[in-house]
Structure formats: structure tokens, C-alpha cells
Amino acid sequence: IIKCLRGHLPKAFFDVHLMISEPAKWVKDYSDAGANMYTFHIEAVADIAAARDLCIQIRETGMRVGVALKPGTPVEGVFEIIDAGLVDMLLVMTVEPGFGGQKFMVSTMSKVEAARKRYPSLDIEVDGGLAADTIEIAAKAGANVIVAGTAIFKAPSRKDATDLLRNTVTAAIPNYPKAA
């Protein structure tokens, strides 16, 4: 799919978010297909050493590195690889991965807040249950990258829904902690 889309959208940024076992096995294929960022779930690797190796493998292909956390995974578990400069984006899942239309889990915002405080310049993405009634909570916590499916595709106006999400996040960014 990425390879086909790349042919039609040569300037698009493709972040592939993969909840798969053995994420290292697929890095070259996604790079060859034209992905710009490879986001893997920390839960899919054996340990932090394997995560470090995977980050390096991804970077060697020229792709950016994203690391995703399920709602029950502590954010502190990825600090080591972020501190090492191996991660370009942290993705905090705000629902259990697997299907759309789930309710936003406010409890996950403590992870976003902790990451934003520690990493003022890091891209922090949230995915799941983002909509008009939850976007401000996520933006104020420190999320600057948003994944929204149902909120956009089931909205009366996709443009209006997208604008609301984008504008809410943009308004919150100046209030984020600054790098020391």
C-alpha cells in the first residue's frame, strides 16, 4: 500500500504505525516501499536493548523512529532510548490498540505530561478517541501530533473537524515547557 501511495503522493509523509510481532523483520520492506517513519510498539520487542538495536536499524534506512506505548505500559520504560537520541516521536496510545471508535482514556495523559516535561522538543503523538471533546485535554497535556479517525471520517464536515483538532493543538504548543 505504501509503495502504491508513494507513487501517487511523492511528497507525502508516511508514518507506518505497526503493532506487529518481530518489528525488526519488516524495517527494510517499509523503507523500500517509501515510508518516512517507522513506529513500533515497545511491547513487541524483548527488552530495551532490542529496542535500541531496532531504533538503530530503522535510522540506518533513513527513516525516522517512532516508539508507541499501549495504555498500560509505563512511559519511563522508553526514557533510556529517548535519552540516547534514538527516538524522533513518542506515540502514547489513548485506547487499547485494535479497532476504532473507542473511548479516550484520560488516564494516559499523565504519560504525555511526563514526556513533555522531560522532552520539550520531542514530537509526542496521541492515538485513539481524539475528538472535539478530548482534543484540548491531549493538547494541554503536551501532545503535538494527533491521530484522529472516527472524529474526522464521521464528522459532518471533515475540513471543520480537522481544523478544530489542528487549531486546538497549535494554540497549546506555546504553553509547553521550553528546553533548558
Side-chain angles (χ1 to χ4, degrees), residues 7 11 113:
K11 294 182 181 180
E113 291 167 349

Side-chain angles (χ1 to χ4, degrees), residues 63-79:
M63 290 186 291
R64 296 182 69 204
V65 178
V67 176
L69 301 172
K70 288 171 58 175
T73 303
V75 68
E76 296 80 8
V78 297
F79 285 173

Side-chain angles (χ1 to χ4, degrees), residues 34-160:
N36 301 95
M37 179 179 283
Y38 191 95
T39 300
F40 68 94
H41 277 257
I42 196 70
E43 301 87 0
V45 295
D47 54 31
I48 199 68
R52 176 185 288 275
D53 291 345
L54 181 53
C55 291
I56 292 167
Q57 179 187 355
I58 295 165
R59 279 269 172 82
E60 286 175 347
T61 69
M63 290 186 291
R64 296 182 69 204
V65 178
V67 176
L69 301 172
K70 288 171 58 175
T73 303
V75 68
E76 296 80 8
V78 297
F79 285 173
E80 182 179 327
I81 57 175
I82 298 173
D83 289 347
L86 297 173
V87 176
D88 298 297
M89 184 186 73
L90 173 65
L91 166 55
V92 175
M93 293 298 301
T94 51
V95 297
E96 287 297 335
F99 58 94
Q102 294 181 63
K103 186 175 170 150
F104 177 81
M105 297 171 70
V106 176
S107 61
T108 61
M109 291 302 95
S110 62
K111 293 181 199 184
V112 174
E113 291 167 349
R116 178 58 62 213
K117 183 176 180 184
R118 187 171 174 123
Y119 308 108
S121 302
L122 183 68
D123 279 335
I124 300 174
E125 180 177 59
V126 289
D127 181 355
L130 277 300
D133 62 336
T134 57
I135 187 63
E136 189 170 5
I137 297 164
K140 284 184 175 179
N144 67 315
V145 181
I146 306 297
V147 175
T150 303
I152 294 172
F153 292 105
K154 291 198 174 182
S157 166
R158 291 180 183 168
K159 180 188 182 320
D160 290 348

Side-chain angles (χ1 to χ4, degrees), residues 162-175:
T162 301
D163 288 347
L164 173 72
L165 297 172
R166 179 183 294 119
N167 293 340
T168 302
V169 171
T170 300
I173 289 173
N175 299 315

